[in-house]
Each structure stands twice: as structure tokens, then as C-alpha cells.
Amino acid sequence: MGLLDNKVAIITGGARGQGAVEGQLFSDAGATVVLTDVLDEQGEQTAGELGCDYLHLDVSDDAGWDTVVAEITARHGRIDVLVN
């Protein structure tokens, strides 16, 4: 049983670097991970490699946050963790 089993996590800046590493760690700990970024091609690739979801998000865009939160809530029922 993982530390983050049954948790839903959003990780911004998840296409590469620290965000991608955090995505891997959270996924390994049992979380359902949604990576977000503005680097869509890299984000989709990273998400595919980690077996998680990817959504486009510019963190400075309020409407973008509304869309991402609504999409994740529709897919997974809730959000438990935000790594921003």
C-alpha cells in the first residue's frame, strides 16, 4: 500500500524537470497524477511515460484553472493534492 493511494494530485510544470520528477514520485506512491504545463508536446510525452493524465494549464490564467479543476473533478471526483 502506497503513501498516496486513492489520492488525486495536480502537478503544475509537470512536463519536465522537477515537476516530472514529482509526478514520478507521486505516481510511485500510489497517487492518480495529473500533470499540467504549457509545454504540451513534452507534457503529453512525460504523462505517457508515467502513465498519468496531462492537461494544458498556464498557471497565470484564472479561467484555465477553472477548466482544469472542472475536468479533474469530472474525471476523478475530487482533488486531494496540489504541487505548484
Side-chain angles (χ1 to χ4, degrees):
M1 188 163 166
L3 181 64
L4 298 175
D5 284 351
N6 303 312
K7 302 293 183 191
V8 179
I10 303 173
I11 300 178
T12 64
R16 60 184 181 174
Q18 183 175 340
V21 171
E22 290 164 342
Q24 180 69 62
L25 291 171
F26 277 57
S27 182
D28 289 349
T32 297
V33 176
V34 180
L35 300 179
T36 68
D37 210 306
V38 295
L39 304 172
D40 294 328
E41 187 174 318
Q42 287 177 306
E44 291 283 353
Q45 180 178 351
T46 301
E49 291 168 359
L50 299 179
C52 60
D53 293 336
Y54 173 81
L55 295 172
H56 177 88
L57 175 63
D58 176 347
V59 296
S60 68
D61 177 22
D62 289 342
W65 274 106
D66 292 340
T67 300
V68 164
V69 168
E71 180 68 25
I72 294 169
T73 302
R75 287 185 194 179
H76 303 290
R78 66 184 190 288
I79 298 167
D80 301 299
V81 180
L82 169 63
V83 179
N84 186 13

